[in-house]
Amino acid sequence: VLVEIDPQAFQQKVTQAERRLDEDQAELARHAQDAKNNAVLLEKARTDLAEYRKEYERVRGLKAKGVATESDVTKATLELRRYDDQVIVLENRKRLLPLEEQKLLKRRAVHQADLILVQLELEHATVKAPFSGVLGDVHVEQGQYVRPGDALVRLVDDSRIEIPIFLTATDFERVRALLESAAGPLVELAT
């Protein structure tokens, strides 16, 4: 690990994204219950409308026989329209429910994508070296603010060490001959 950015802010974003997904799930559950409730109310409203239609026809029949007044027929007509309006409102609501569900599902998909992004940010809060090595140069100090792209350190891969040496033409020919042979040159390092 080369650098660790304080993960607290990133962890908070992950928690917020998870809570938004929980809210979406609760909203979808509420929506499903709302659809069930609407179906029950619609069925009841249709039953009430059918019953009141019978009552309306009965009042009209009484009017035709001269037992009921025009006022009774008007009241029955207005009441019938009220029940009819209730059925229309509930049927309209039933037609809107699938659109609301699509909206909730799309919002949940956006929140899932947000969660993936903030989890990536949290993972990137820890910067690791791409290979095992040693620090060659450090370009920043602890607590210093940096921008994306700023050099932080220079890593030296210590699994292979190259040391430039200067050879004369004669020595070069001897080293080349050793390199071309299967044995290779024997090298010793000394301070």
Side-chain angles (χ1 to χ4, degrees), residues 8-155:
Q8 188 175 3
F10 299 114
Q11 184 59 51
Q12 189 64 28
K13 286 181 180 181
V14 168
T15 303
Q16 285 175 336
E18 290 170 342
R19 294 230 170 93
R20 277 195 298 270
L21 283 172
D22 291 343
E23 286 175 3
D24 291 341
Q25 194 59 40
E27 190 68 24
L28 282 166
R30 187 206 57 77
H31 176 75
Q33 186 60 48
D34 194 24
K36 289 178 187 176
N37 293 348
N38 192 70
V40 169
L41 288 173
L42 183 57
E43 187 59 37
K44 181 185 178 309
R46 286 179 179 154
T47 304
D48 290 347
L49 179 62
E51 285 296 318
Y52 208 81
R53 203 176 296 275
K54 290 177 190 174
E55 177 65 17
Y56 171 75
E57 293 300 327
R58 188 183 70 76
V59 170
R60 277 188 52 203
L62 290 174
K63 169 76 167 90
K65 293 178 184 176
V67 177
T69 65
E70 187 65 35
S71 176
D72 293 334
V73 173
T74 302
K75 278 191 216 176
T77 302
L78 291 174
E79 194 65 25
L80 179 63
R81 286 183 185 160
R82 188 175 66 83
Y83 281 105
D84 196 34
D85 287 347
Q86 186 178 11
V87 169
I88 290 170
V89 166
L90 290 169
E91 284 175 346
N92 287 343
R93 176 78 180 126
K94 181 181 176 183
R95 284 190 287 275
L96 288 175
L97 286 171
L99 299 175
E100 289 178 13
E101 183 180 19
Q102 285 178 359
K103 177 181 158 187
L104 290 171
L105 290 172
K106 287 180 182 180
R107 186 174 71 191
R108 183 178 67 179
V110 167
H111 289 162
Q112 286 172 333
D114 289 345
L115 175 61
I116 290 169
L117 287 175
V118 296
Q119 285 173 333
L120 259 172
E121 287 178 353
L122 179 60
E123 288 175 20
H124 291 146
T126 301
V127 179
K128 295 181 179 180
F131 56 85
S132 178
V134 294
L135 290 177
D137 294 321
V138 177
H139 301 287
V140 294
E141 294 179 19
Q142 184 174 357
Q144 180 180 343
Y145 287 98
V146 294
R147 295 182 309 268
D150 284 355
L152 304 177
V153 296
R154 185 178 62 82
L155 291 175

